[in-house]
Amino acid sequence: RQVIGCARTCDVIMVVLDATKPVTHKLLIDRELEGFGIRLNQKPPNIYFKKRTKGGLNYQPMKRQSRMTKAMVEAILKEYRIMHAEVILKCDATEDQLIDVIEGNRVYIPCLYVFNKIDKISRAELQLMSEKIPHFLPISGGADWNIDVLKEKIWEYMTLTRIYTKPKGQTPDFTAPVLLRHNKVRVKEFCNAIHKRLIDNFKHALVWGASAKHTPQIVGISHKLSDEDVVQVVKKLGDAD
């Protein structure tokens, strides 16, 4: 349970498997994680769900549904003893996706399947696995094969954004970037990552990099930053960090 609890908080899960062993090991791990509410390499379904105290079921399919019907939604809600609710399907949803939204405790995490000991199998076997297994990465720890690619893939799957700080009158510090999650890349989150009280004295920020229309660009707290941007925060008192 401690391992599962830790897995639910991860930015990326890396499942390391032996390429010489049956692929069924991967299926067992996938099934175990799914049973604990961890959805690997999936995005949260675009479904709006809200319980109500009266009014019955307000069912609105915003897109054409290939599986779901109002009767199926009513049946699923009945299993949870929910008689009054609003359900808006903004995607071609499945029964399992609606159940996940109702449960409300699912986590969606990218996963990389790393198969070790590829030097012990044939090229034909390697080709077959690469075709049949999504998010597949072969390596050989003993022969030191593909380790650099593994490092790059881990960074890619974590989808983190690196932001460099620039103190006033100094050159940017490229040795220790501030790391932001891919969906929280505004200047506000950058300030909070440095210090929670920094935003209280925030005046504006100077930004160099891909997100800036010109260099430097003066921006507010809602400005979205790009990977490897350089930011200098200017405080209301005239100091800068």
Side-chain angles (χ1 to χ4, degrees):
R1 289 185 178 274
Q2 291 179 346
V3 174
I4 295 298
C6 179
R8 288 178 62 89
T9 64
C10 291
D11 290 309
V12 63
I13 292 177
M14 186 170 66
V15 178
V16 182
L17 299 160
D18 189 334
T20 64
K21 303 294 182 180
V23 183
T24 51
H25 291 178
K26 170 190 175 297
L27 301 178
L28 291 173
I29 294 173
D30 286 350
R31 193 176 300 118
E32 185 76 11
L33 293 176
E34 185 172 349
F36 283 94
I38 299 175
R39 301 293 179 259
L40 301 178
N41 296 315
Q42 298 180 34
K43 292 183 178 181
N46 197 359
I47 299 175
Y48 176 81
F49 166 75
K50 185 178 180 179
K51 290 183 182 180
R52 301 196 301 185
T53 57
K54 59 182 179 180
L57 172 63
N58 179 16
Y59 170 70
Q60 298 182 43
M62 304 298 290
K63 287 195 173 182
R64 184 176 180 180
Q65 301 297 310
S66 59
R67 301 184 186 183
M68 299 295 290
T69 63
K70 184 176 182 179
M72 292 176 64
V73 173
E74 289 177 334
I76 293 172
L77 292 176
K78 189 176 180 181
E79 291 293 322
Y80 288 88
R81 298 182 179 180
I82 300 174
M83 300 296 111
H84 311 285
E86 185 175 6
V87 178
I88 302 176
L89 304 181
K90 302 178 182 179
C91 63
D92 187 7
T94 65
E95 300 94 319
D96 290 338
Q97 288 177 328
L98 177 58
I99 291 172
D100 286 348
V101 172
I102 295 172
E103 290 281 354
N105 61 351
R106 307 306 194 230
V107 292
Y108 299 83
I109 304 174
C111 178
L112 186 62
Y113 298 98
V114 181
F115 281 76
N116 194 17
K117 299 183 180 180
I118 59 169
D119 53 321
K120 305 297 183 181
I121 62 175
S122 66
R123 288 188 176 182
E125 291 174 311
L126 179 62
Q127 181 66 25
L128 182 62
M129 284 194 292
S130 65
E131 293 175 355
K132 298 295 184 180
I133 303 175
H135 309 280
F136 167 80
L137 180 66
I139 68 165
S140 174
D144 200 26
W145 290 354
N146 241 17
I147 302 301
D148 289 339
V149 176
L150 172 61
K151 295 177 182 178
E152 293 174 1
K153 280 292 182 180
I154 291 174
W155 177 259
E156 176 186 331
Y157 273 60
M158 290 179 72
T159 59
L160 295 176
T161 300
R162 295 162 291 184
I163 306 298
Y164 300 106
T165 58
K166 183 186 182 303
K168 184 178 180 181
Q170 300 181 32
T171 58
D173 181 9
F174 293 110
T175 60
V178 176
L179 299 179
L180 303 177
R181 293 177 182 270
H182 69 285
N183 59 343
K184 296 182 179 179
V185 294
R186 298 178 301 169
V187 172
K188 180 180 180 180
E189 281 83 33
F190 169 76
C191 292
N192 288 334
I194 296 175
H195 196 286
K196 291 183 178 180
R197 297 192 62 181
L198 180 59
I199 201 71
D200 296 337
N201 295 321
F202 179 88
K203 182 179 180 182
H204 61 257
L206 302 177
V207 177
W208 293 258
S211 71
K213 296 180 180 179
H214 48 82
T215 55
Q217 181 181 355
I218 300 175
V219 301
I221 60 173
S222 61
H223 177 79
K224 289 186 177 181
L225 300 167
S226 298
D227 190 35
E228 296 192 298
D229 275 359
V230 175
V231 177
Q232 176 180 317
V233 177
V234 179
K235 297 181 181 179
K236 292 177 182 177
L237 299 178
D239 298 327
D241 291 340

